[in-house]
Amino acid sequence: MSAEAVAGQAPGPVRFGIRARLLLAFVAVAALSVVVCGLGWLSYDRLGGTLDEFAESHLPALGLAARLAEEGGSIIATAPILANARTEQELGAIRDALGRRLAALRLLAAEGERGVPGLRPMVDALGHNLADIDATVRHRLALARRNQESIERLRWLHADFLDEIEPLVADARFNIQSALGSVETGTRSAGAVRVLREESRRSEAVLQIGANGNLAVGLIARAATLATTEALDDNAGFLEETADRLQHDLATLKDWADGVSLGQVVARLLELARGEGSIPELRRAELAAADQGQGLLTENRKLVARLNGLIAQQVQSVETTSRAAAARSAQAIAEGRSALLAGALVSLLVAVLVAWLYVNRSIISRLTRLGSAAHEIAAGNLQADIPLGGNDELSQMAAALLVFRDTAIAVEEANAQAIIDNAQAGLATTDADGVIEFVNPLAAALIAAPEGGADGRLADRLEPAGARRVEDFFREARAAPEEAAPSLSVLTAGRRPNGRPVPVQVGIRPFRRRQQQRFIVTLTDMTERVEAQQLLERTVAERTADLRTTNARLERSIAEHQRAERDLRDTQAELVQAGKLAALGQLAAGVGHELNQPLSAIRSYAHNGRKLIALGRVAEAEGNLGKIADLTARMANITNHLKRFARRPDTRLGAVELAPVVQGALSLFGDRLREESVELAVELPEDGAPLRVRAEEVRLEQVLVNLLSNALDAVAHAPRRRVAIAAEAADDTVRITVRDSGPGIPDAVAGQVFDPFFTTKPVGAGLGLGLSISYNIVRDFGGALSVAESGPGGTAFLLTLTRA
C-alpha cells in the first residue's frame, strides 16, 4: 500500500485509547497500594513507638555500660605493663595512654552518674592508684639507672685492680726467688732471711688481696642482679666477711710504698660494697620499689573489679526492660506482616489480570511486530512489511512508519548522487566488482576514462602497478566475510582529461546500501605533496651533514669533560687520604698510650728474665719470654690496624660485615674513652646472620672514625659525657646512628656542616674536611649521611646504607 493511500485512509481522533486504558488500570493498582501502605503504616507506627522507647532509654545505657567495660578492661590490661616498664620512654608512652583512658573513663562516669550511683568516686580512686603506680615505677627506674652506673664503675675498678695486682705478684715472686737463691748458694745471713720472710709475708698478702678482691667484685656484681631480699642478705654476709679480710691484708702492706695504689683501688671497691649508695643497697631499694608496685597493681585489680560490678548491675537492669520491649515489638511485627501479606496478594492479582488481559494481548504483541518492521527499515530493508489495522495510537504509528519508509527510498536515491556531485574532494562509488557507478567532477579530472574505454572499471583508469593492487583488493573483498570487509589506501598515478599523468592517493572503503555491499573511492591530488617531499629530502640531506659536524665537536668536548672528571676524582681521593691521616694524627696520643702499657710490661719481664738467666733458672726465664711475645703480638695488632686504616681504599664495593668495622673504629678511641670518662653504648643486631652492607671496608671505617671523633669532641665539656652507636636493619637498608650528649649544632650553621673546610672547632683543632669527606664517601656507596636531630640534649647523625 502506498503512502498516499494510507494518508487517505488515516483513522480519526481516538476517544478511549491506550493512554486512557492504562491510566485506569494504574489508578486501580495505585489505590490498592495506598490501602496496603496504610496497613503497613499502622503496624510500623506501633513498632516505632516501641523502638523509640528502646533507643531513648535502653540503648544509651547499654552503650555507656559497654564503653565503661571497654575502658576498664583497657586500664586493667595496661596497668601491669606500666608497673613493669623498663625504660623512661616506655614509661612515658604507657603513662600517656593510661591518661587518655582515665580521662575517657571520667567523662563516661560523669555521663552515667545518674544511672550508676557511686561511679565517680570509684573512677577517682582508680586515678589515684594509677598515679601511685607511676610514681613507684619512676623511682624504680631511677634506682636501676644508678645501679647500672655503679656496675660500669665496678668494671673499670676491677680492671685497675688487676693492673695493680699482677706487677706486685711478679715482683714479690722474683724477690723471693732471689732471696732463696742467696740462701741456697751458702751465703745465708740474717738480712737474707729477713728479706725472705718479709717478701713471703708480702707475697702471701698480695695473693690473698687478689683472691679476695676478685671474690668481692663477683659478690658485688651478683648483688646487682639478685631477685629477693633474702638472697641479698646472704650475699651481704659473704661480702662483709670478704671486705674484712681485704682490709686485714691491706694493713699488712701499709708500710709498703708499692702497695699504696693498690690500697686506693681496694678502698674504692669497698665503697661500692658497703653503706648508703652501694650496689647492694641500691638493689635492695629497687626490689622494695618493685614490691610496692605489685601491691598497687593488686589494689588496681580490686578497684576495676568493683567498677565492673557496678556496670554489671546496670546491664542486668537494662536487659530486663529490653526483653519486655522486644516482646511488644515482636507482636507488632507479626500483626503488620499478616496485614501486608494480604494486601500484597490482592495487589498482585489485580496487576496480573491487567498485564495479561490487556497489556500483553493488546499492546505488547502489536508493538513487537511494529518494532520488527522498524528494525528492518533501520537496517536498510526499505521493503519491510508494516502491520496496519485498528483505531488507536499504535495504528497511527504504523501509518506514519509507512510514510517514512516510502519517503526514505526517494530521498536516499536523490541524496547519493547529490553528495557525490557536490563534494569538495574526488569521490566515486563502485559495485563489488570495482565497476564505477557514480563519479563526481573532481574525480573525473583525476581518473579520466581512457580513449575507447568500455566497461568503466576503476583499475582501467590507473597506472599498471596501482591497477594491480586495486584488482587484488576487490578480489580479496569478494572472498572476505561481510563483517570483515577490508579497506585500501594506495599512492598511484591517474590520468587527466588531456592525457597527462597525475599522482593520486586512492582510498577505498566499504559501505552497504539496501542490503548490498558497495565501495566508496576517495581520490586526492598529491602533486603538491610529492613536490614537498622531494624538497624535504634535499633539506634532510643538508641537515644531516651539519649534524655530523656538530657531533664531532660534541665528541671532542665530551672527551675533555671526562679528563676533567678523572682529575676531580683523583683530587677527591687525595682529600680522603688527607682526612684519614689527619684522623690518625689526632689518634696518635691515644695509640701511644695503648702501646706504652705493653712496653712497660715488656721492660719488667725482660729485666726479670735477665736476672733469672743470670741465676741459671732458664725455665722461668722462658715463661717471661713467652709473656713478652704475647705483648708484642698485641702491639702488632694495634699497629697493623693503624696501617690498614691508613692505606688507600679500594674503589670496588662489596658486602662488608658491619660489626667488625664498628669494633675496629672503636678500638682507635679506647684510651680516649677511658681517660675522658665517656659512657659508650653500642647496639648492634646479634640474632640471625651477620649484618652486611654494600660498601668498602676501609672507607666505611673512616666514616665511622670521623663521626665518633666529632661526637667525642662534642661531649668534651658536657655535664654528661655519653656517645652511642646503634644499627637497625629494614627490608633493603641499614640505618646506623651515632648520637652524642653534647650541646648540639647551632641553627645558624646547621645547613653548612657538610661543606668543605667548614668547622665550629677552634683554629688548629680541625680542617673542616671530616664530614664533607664522609658525606661524599657515603654518596659513592649509594647511601645518605644526614643530621637526624640536634638540640640542647645532643646531636644524632644518621648513616643509611644499602643492605647486602
Side-chain angles (χ1 to χ4, degrees):
M1 184 179 292
S2 66
E4 292 80 1
V6 172
Q9 300 176 6
V14 178
R15 294 183 178 179
F16 195 69
I18 296 174
R19 180 183 301 173
R21 298 170 193 170
L22 288 177
L23 180 60
L24 182 61
F26 286 139
V27 166
V29 173
L32 289 174
S33 299
V34 170
V35 173
V36 172
C37 289
L39 294 174
W41 181 81
L42 293 174
S43 299
Y44 283 114
D45 184 61
R46 291 178 57 195
L47 178 61
T50 305
L51 292 178
D52 289 341
E53 177 187 355
F54 188 79
E56 292 176 359
S57 60
H58 307 322
L59 282 181
L62 286 176
L64 177 62
R67 285 180 291 167
L68 284 170
E70 179 183 0
E71 297 298 338
S74 300
I75 289 175
I76 198 171
T78 312
I81 303 176
L82 175 68
N84 296 311
R86 298 299 179 189
T87 63
E88 292 287 348
Q89 293 81 4
E90 181 182 359
L91 177 62
I94 299 170
R95 184 194 305 123
D96 293 341
L98 277 174
R100 291 192 295 270
R101 294 290 186 185
L102 193 59
L105 194 61
R106 285 197 173 98
L107 290 177
L108 293 175
E111 181 181 347
E113 182 65 23
R114 296 180 180 177
V116 186
L119 187 60
R120 284 285 293 273
M122 186 65 63
V123 173
D124 292 339
L126 190 60
H128 294 317
N129 174 262
L130 291 175
D132 293 340
I133 293 177
D134 176 66
T136 302
V137 173
R138 280 190 282 109
H139 179 59
R140 177 174 59 79
L141 291 178
L143 291 172
R145 185 168 56 253
R146 290 179 57 194
N147 199 352
Q148 185 62 33
E149 292 172 354
S150 299
I151 288 296
E152 291 296 326
R153 183 183 171 195
L154 177 64
R155 291 196 184 100
W156 290 110
L157 287 176
H158 188 211
D160 294 341
F161 176 77
L162 294 178
D163 290 341
E164 293 291 338
I165 202 71
E166 288 179 0
L168 295 179
V169 172
D171 289 345
R173 184 180 294 113
F174 177 77
N175 292 333
I176 291 173
Q177 295 295 332
S178 298
L180 286 174
S182 299
V183 173
E184 291 173 355
T185 55
T187 59
R188 179 179 303 179
S189 64
V193 173
R194 185 176 63 257
V195 169
L196 179 61
R197 290 175 179 174
E198 182 66 21
E199 292 299 332
S200 297
R201 182 179 62 82
R202 289 178 180 175
S203 175
E204 181 180 359
V206 168
L207 292 175
Q208 288 292 334
I209 290 172
N212 290 324
N214 288 325
L215 177 60
V217 169
L219 290 173
I220 294 172
R222 180 171 178 268
T225 60
L226 291 176
T228 62
T229 55
E230 292 79 5
L232 273 174
D233 293 337
D234 294 339
N235 190 78
F238 291 119
L239 184 58
E240 186 65 27
E241 182 180 351
T242 304
D244 292 340
R245 289 199 297 269
L246 274 173
Q247 290 180 335
H248 178 267
D249 293 331
L250 282 174
T252 306
L253 303 177
K254 64 180 180 179
D255 297 329
W256 191 21
D258 293 341
V260 175
S261 297
L262 178 63
Q264 293 174 351
V265 173
V266 172
R268 284 187 288 170
L269 278 175
L270 294 180
E271 289 177 0
L272 297 178
R274 296 172 169 177
E276 184 178 356
S278 64
I279 290 178
E281 290 303 319
L282 288 175
R283 182 58 179 170
R284 191 182 305 276
E286 184 179 353
L287 292 176
D291 292 340
Q292 183 181 359
Q294 292 300 320
L296 291 172
L297 189 61
T298 302
E299 182 183 353
N300 178 270
R301 294 192 186 98
K302 293 179 180 178
L303 290 173
V304 174
R306 291 168 58 189
L307 177 63
N308 290 336
L310 293 175
I311 296 171
Q313 293 176 4
Q314 178 66 12
V315 170
Q316 184 177 6
S317 175
V318 173
E319 182 181 0
T320 302
T321 56
S322 299
R323 286 176 180 172
R328 294 194 300 272
S329 299
Q331 182 180 0
I333 291 172
E335 294 175 355
R337 186 185 296 117
S338 300
L340 289 175
L341 180 60
L345 290 175
V346 174
S347 298
L348 180 62
L349 178 61
V350 173
V352 168
L353 291 176
V354 171
W356 177 255
L357 295 179
Y358 177 67
V359 175
N360 182 61
R361 295 176 58 184
S362 300
I363 299 177
I364 300 300
S365 59
R366 293 172 63 194
L367 279 175
T368 302
R369 294 195 301 272
L370 189 60
S372 298
H375 181 72
E376 292 182 12
I377 293 172
N381 183 14
L382 299 180
Q383 304 300 326
D385 182 35
I386 299 174
L388 299 172
N391 187 23
D392 55 17
E393 290 87 343
L394 289 179
S395 61
Q396 292 177 353
M397 289 175 60
L401 185 60
L402 180 61
V403 173
F404 171 78
R405 184 195 66 179
D406 295 341
T407 303
I409 292 173
V411 170
E412 181 191 47
E413 294 176 352
N415 285 344
Q417 186 61 40
I419 290 172
I420 293 176
D421 291 341
N422 296 321
Q424 297 299 315
L427 293 177
T429 61
T430 71
D431 62 9
D433 295 325
V435 177
I436 296 176
E437 295 179 343
F438 300 103
V439 63
N440 70 351
L442 291 177
L446 297 175
I447 53 171
E451 295 181 3
D455 59 0
R457 297 172 64 87
L458 176 62
D460 295 338
R461 302 190 181 193
L462 303 173
E463 56 91 16
R468 285 194 297 272
R469 294 193 60 182
V470 170
E471 287 290 348
D472 293 340
F473 168 76
F474 282 113
R475 190 162 44 251
E476 294 174 2
R478 287 192 297 271
E482 292 183 0
E483 64 274 6
S487 60
L488 176 68
S489 179
V490 61
L491 179 64
T492 182
R495 187 183 301 108
R496 294 193 183 278
N498 59 10
R500 294 177 59 187
V502 56
V504 178
Q505 183 73 36
V506 179
I508 306 176
R509 298 289 186 274
F511 74 98
R512 299 191 65 79
R513 188 177 69 187
R514 298 186 186 179
Q515 303 298 319
Q516 295 181 353
Q517 190 175 57
R518 295 288 188 271
F519 291 90
I520 186 167
V521 182
T522 305
L523 302 161
T524 306
D525 187 352
M526 302 296 291
T527 302
E528 295 182 358
R529 187 175 299 178
V530 170
E531 293 175 352
Q533 183 176 0
Q534 294 173 352
L535 177 61
L536 179 62
E537 290 175 353
R538 290 195 299 273
T539 304
V540 168
E542 295 173 357
R543 293 286 187 267
T544 302
D546 294 339
L547 286 173
R548 288 195 183 97
T549 304
T550 303
N551 188 40
R553 290 199 301 269
L554 286 174
E555 288 177 352
R556 291 194 297 272
S557 177
I558 289 171
E560 294 176 358
H561 283 301
Q562 289 175 344
R563 286 195 298 274
E565 183 180 356
R566 287 194 298 270
D567 293 341
L568 287 174
R569 190 177 294 111
D570 294 340
T571 302
Q572 182 183 5
E574 293 297 332
L575 284 174
V576 170
Q577 189 68 13
K580 288 199 300 182
L581 294 177
L584 285 175
Q586 295 176 359
L587 296 172
V591 173
H593 186 77
E594 288 288 337
L595 295 176
N596 191 41
Q597 287 184 346
L599 281 174
S600 299
I602 289 173
R603 183 168 59 251
S604 175
Y605 285 127
H607 173 73
N608 294 340
R610 187 166 56 250
K611 290 185 177 181
L612 291 172
I613 292 174
L615 297 174
R617 294 153 59 186
V618 179
E620 296 180 11
E622 288 180 353
N624 283 5
L625 292 176
K627 292 179 181 179
I628 291 174
D630 294 338
L631 292 171
T632 54
R634 175 183 169 187
M635 296 171 64
N637 289 334
I638 296 173
T639 56
N640 288 336
H641 183 73
L642 290 176
K643 288 192 294 182
R644 184 178 65 81
F645 180 71
R647 76 169 187 263
R648 290 187 178 272
D650 194 351
T651 58
R652 295 171 297 180
L653 303 181
V656 177
E657 188 173 346
L658 184 60
V661 176
V662 173
Q663 295 301 328
L666 290 174
S667 67
L668 298 176
F669 297 98
D671 186 67
R672 183 176 177 184
L673 289 169
R674 289 190 297 272
E675 286 186 353
E676 298 180 5
S677 299
V678 178
E679 177 186 353
L680 176 65
V682 180
E683 298 181 7
L684 298 178
E686 297 180 354
D687 53 339
L691 187 60
R692 292 183 173 88
V693 296
R694 184 176 181 272
E696 193 275 324
E697 185 176 2
V698 176
R699 286 188 286 168
L700 178 58
E701 183 175 345
Q702 181 184 355
V703 172
L704 293 176
V705 167
N706 286 337
L707 294 178
L708 288 169
S709 177
N710 288 343
L712 289 174
D713 292 341
V715 302
H717 302 290
R720 182 191 179 194
R721 301 177 182 179
R722 187 177 190 274
V723 174
I725 179 169
E728 59 178 355
D731 294 335
D732 54 355
T733 60
V734 176
R735 293 162 56 91
I736 306 168
T737 304
V738 178
R739 186 184 304 274
D740 63 66
S741 60
I745 301 173
D747 294 338
V749 299
Q752 307 175 39
V753 294
F754 295 111
D755 293 344
F757 303 105
F758 175 80
T759 179
T760 59
K761 299 176 183 178
V763 176
L767 299 177
L769 289 174
L771 287 178
S772 176
I773 292 173
S774 300
Y775 181 86
N776 288 293
I777 290 174
V778 175
R779 186 179 60 183
D780 292 342
F781 293 165
L785 177 62
S786 62
V787 180
E789 60 182 79
S790 182
T795 302
F797 281 86
L798 176 62
L799 173 61
T800 304
L801 297 174
T802 303
R803 187 171 184 178

